[in-house]
Amino acid sequence: MTRRIGIFAGSLGSNSGGPERYESELLRGIAALDRETEYNIFCLFPEGPAKAGVSPDNFRYVTVGPHIRPLSMVTTLPAALWRSRLDSLHATFIPPPISPRPYAFTLVCSSMFEHPEFFPPAIRLRLKLLMGMAIKKAQVIICISQHIQDVIRERFKVPAERSTVVPLAASDAFLPIPRDECASFLKQRYGIDGPYLLFSGRWERRKNIARILEAFHRFKQETCTPHRLVLTGERTWASGEADEVIRRNRMEEEIVDLGKSPVAELPWLYAGADALVFCSLWEGFGLPIVEGFRAGTPVITSNGSSMAEIGGDAALLVDPLSVDAIAEAMHRITVGEPGLADTLRERGFARGRTFSWERTARETLAVYRRL
């Protein structure tokens, strides 16, 4: 008898960055590994099926409406799940408020419990309610890092058998690109000419962008190098603090704000950078770290939450609260320690190979069998 598994891909088609990339890459991996099981993929956004980019014979996409997400989740989604007669369900980012079948849930973030100050009150309340419900109800909780698993075990007393760690990965598009090709593309597409450091991520408080900017200003004052800091990522409610740092330090000529770059162009931005500066205050995984590894870009990241776990000895780990420590890492990679960048590239290549979307899909399929 053919198994029928539902996947509630709540971010697919939302253009939301990391969560959407996880869902699309997971679906591609499952499609490559399993052609026997019947999969029903439930989307909240009409663009979802196209964003997945894969539609084998055993996949069936269901877009639930209306296009008011909270309303869809408590009305049409439960009805669609019930009609599909599923054996089990996987909610990849948002838990279904009502589910007629047992489900697995991927917990990609625990910051709403550890650092509620990172969120505006309304978002904080919604996230705590939804994630708390999922942690309580899910048969299996898929944690994207050991750090998240440790948090739910300690804070919510989740027994070992109800959770497992399945890490994320970087797209195969992230790979080293010859310097001359990269320089030509970046100059033509973005007008970037010369060496730069890269920050990739949304302008949120937890991304620590204000301290990264302060550290870059200090690095420039101490070294007088021609480097600029390139920022790629969507602005949010928290971008005002970063803008104030730029104005106060008169850094406008040193900063290149690209906004949210197309995913297809990120490998070029990574490969062309002298270093990726990803010193967040908190991350559930830290996908840019692995992307930097795969692109051959030296990585500076934080020594806390999951980032030390993912970076290992292949990245420079710093105290994200210390502007001096971040600036010193920039100095060490660019001019201070000849050979350090090459060492980090070599270690990053090796560590990056341990993370793959095939591994993510294979270990997720093992969870489905447990259900």
Side-chain angles (χ1 to χ4, degrees), residues 80-361:
L81 294 174
W82 182 266
R83 287 194 301 269
S84 297
R85 300 182 182 277
L86 304 172
D87 295 307
S88 57
L89 174 69
H90 177 197
T92 54
F93 180 61
I94 308 170
I98 304 168
S99 176
R101 294 291 181 268
Y103 66 88
F105 176 69
T106 299
L107 184 60
V108 301
C109 182
S110 60
S111 61
M112 70 289 298
F113 305 117
E114 296 179 87
H115 294 285
E117 71 276 10
F118 290 163
F119 303 94
I123 295 177
R124 178 170 66 234
L125 177 61
R126 185 169 72 246
L127 286 174
K128 290 183 76 170
L129 287 172
L130 283 171
M131 301 306 148
M133 178 188 70
I135 291 170
K136 181 179 179 181
K137 291 186 175 182
Q139 277 199 338
V140 180
I141 302 168
I142 300 174
C143 304
I144 62 173
S145 66
Q146 183 63 55
H147 172 77
I148 288 184
Q149 188 181 56
D150 292 344
V151 168
I152 63 170
R153 285 181 175 178
E154 179 178 348
R155 186 177 290 264
F156 296 97
K157 310 304 178 188
V158 173
E161 63 272 14
R162 278 193 60 222
S163 69
T164 187
V165 177
V166 180
L168 308 185
S171 164
D172 290 338
F174 287 89
L175 75 172
I177 301 172
R179 279 281 174 167
D180 55 343
E181 292 182 25
C182 204
S184 176
F185 173 84
L186 294 173
K187 185 175 182 178
Q188 181 178 1
R189 177 69 177 88
Y190 291 113
I192 298 174
D193 190 10
Y196 66 92
L197 306 180
L198 177 69
F199 167 82
S200 178
R202 299 180 78 215
W203 291 41
E204 300 177 7
R205 280 192 63 199
R206 69 182 176 92
K207 297 297 184 180
N208 205 27
I209 189 169
R211 287 191 183 90
I212 291 172
L213 288 165
E214 293 279 14
F216 182 73
H217 178 63
R218 191 163 302 178
F219 158 73
K220 289 285 289 184
Q221 286 184 315
E222 294 174 354
T223 62
C224 298
T225 70
H227 287 79
R228 291 192 289 173
L229 180 62
V230 174
L231 311 173
T232 176
E234 180 185 9
R235 285 175 173 263
T236 71
W237 64 87
S239 61
E241 183 182 4
D243 285 330
E244 194 277 329
V245 173
I246 294 172
R247 286 193 299 269
R248 172 164 42 83
N249 292 313
R250 299 179 180 177
M251 302 170 63
E252 290 83 358
E253 296 300 317
E254 301 169 348
I255 304 300
V256 181
D257 178 12
L258 302 179
K260 188 173 183 178
S261 304
V263 173
E265 296 178 3
L266 289 178
W268 297 85
L269 290 166
Y270 277 74
D274 282 357
L276 172 72
V277 187
F278 190 72
C279 302
S280 294
L281 300 175
W282 186 96
E283 290 290 334
F285 182 82
L287 191 55
I289 299 171
V290 182
E291 293 171 342
F293 288 162
R294 293 289 297 269
T297 307
V299 175
I300 302 168
T301 193
S302 303
N303 59 6
S305 68
S306 66
M307 289 166 284
E309 170 191 341
I310 305 305
D313 68 351
L316 281 187
L317 304 180
V318 301
D319 178 359
L321 297 176
S322 171
V323 170
D324 287 341
I326 301 171
E328 181 186 1
M330 295 176 180
H331 180 269
R332 289 178 62 192
I333 285 180
T334 55
V335 296
E337 294 186 28
L340 176 60
D342 289 336
T343 298
L344 291 174
R345 286 190 189 96
E346 187 175 328
R347 291 178 180 176
F349 282 139
R351 188 157 182 81
R353 284 194 293 270
T354 66
F355 300 94
S356 73
W357 286 116
E358 180 185 357
R359 172 189 171 186
T360 303

Side-chain angles (χ1 to χ4, degrees), residues 41-71:
I41 297 97
F42 301 89
C43 304
L44 295 175
F45 299 90
E47 301 82 4
K51 278 296 186 74
V54 61
S55 186
D57 292 341
N58 61 326
F59 274 33
R60 173 177 171 261
Y61 290 93
V62 180
T63 301
V64 297
H67 304 319
I68 304 172
R69 189 163 67 174
L71 183 59

